């Protein structure tokens, strides 16, 4: 399996629940390494830019307002098949439909407050990583 990188965000609801460490443990136990991380409070412009692909969707304003409601923890994960592996760890977008044992099933409350973001493909991952990190921030390890 190719070693890939993906962008993960622990959303304001999960940061507020103080489960950043529990979510990191899931990444680590699945063989994903955190190679860059930053906690920040997004501005509206930053959240709108990050989710620009959704700007015509009816839930866009709710999504942006939620993402700026508190600090988020943003990380680059690296490992074999990282994009798909992180999506599998996350579970379905709607936590009510998320498979038992996934991050969203265990920590999320609603489709808005759904605990985590994860890139949905290799190209999106590269774009999303560039949105938040420079090459100098990445610390790949053997
Ligand atoms: P993801 O890749 O599983 O995060 O899902 P998407 O990329 O499709 O959507 C981005 C985010 O927008 C999701 O994580 C949800 O927080 C939110 N979202 C997606 N679909 C809906 C919806 O139908 N209603 C609402 N309120 N929010 C949604």
């Amino acid at each position: 399996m190719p070693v890939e990188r993906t962008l993960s965000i622990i959303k304001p609801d999960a940061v507020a629940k103080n489960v950043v460490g529990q979510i990191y443990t899931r990444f680590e136990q699945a063989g994903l390494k955190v190679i860059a991380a930053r906690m920040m409070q997004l501005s509206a412009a930053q959240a709108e830019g990050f989710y620009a692909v959704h700007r015509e969707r009816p839930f866009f304003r709710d999504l942006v307002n939620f993402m700026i409601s508190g600090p988020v923890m943003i990380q680059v994960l690296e490992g074999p098949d990282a994009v798909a592996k992180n999506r599998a760890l996350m579970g379905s977008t709607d936590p009510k439909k998320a498979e038992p044992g996934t991050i969203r099933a265990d920590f999320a409350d609603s489709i808005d407050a759904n605990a985590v973001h994860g890139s949905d493909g290799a190209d999106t991952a590269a774009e999303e990583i560039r949105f938040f990190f420079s090459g100098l921030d990445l610390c790949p390890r053997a």
Side-chain angles (χ1 to χ4, degrees):
M1 261 180 294
V3 171
E4 291 178 342
R5 292 173 182 173
T6 191
L7 187 90
S8 158
I9 302 178
I10 301 177
K11 295 186 179 184
D13 57 319
V15 172
K17 284 183 183 166
N18 208 24
V19 293
V20 169
Q22 291 186 60
I23 293 174
Y24 267 42
T25 298
R26 295 188 181 207
F27 297 150
E28 291 171 351
Q29 287 180 341
L32 297 175
K33 292 177 180 172
V34 176
I35 64 161
R38 70 191 292 194
M39 179 171 272
M40 62 187 290
Q41 171 103 34
L42 295 176
S43 67
Q46 288 166 335
E48 285 163 6
F50 182 74
Y51 279 118
V53 66
H54 292 310
R55 66 183 168 273
E56 305 301 336
R57 310 283 286 276
F59 56 83
F60 181 67
R61 194 42 49 195
D62 287 343
L63 176 60
V64 167
N65 285 337
F66 174 66
M67 290 301 288
I68 66 173
S69 65
V72 294
M73 187 76 193
I74 308 166
Q75 43 283 322
V76 178
L77 305 177
E78 184 179 82
D81 209 18
V83 173
K85 200 176 271 182
N86 183 43
R87 297 288 301 185
L89 290 175
M90 289 163 57
S92 300
T93 307
D94 182 350
K96 287 199 275 308
K97 298 185 187 139
E99 305 69 15
T102 59
I103 293 169
R104 282 168 166 165
D106 291 344
F107 299 117
D109 297 322
S110 67
I111 198 162
D112 295 289
N114 66 356
V116 278
H117 166 85
S119 310
D120 62 5
D123 293 348
T124 325
E127 238 174 77
E128 292 182 351
I129 290 168
R130 265 199 309 276
F131 189 89
F132 286 114
F133 296 99
S134 89
L136 292 174
D137 297 318
L138 306 177
C139 304
R141 281 158 288 126

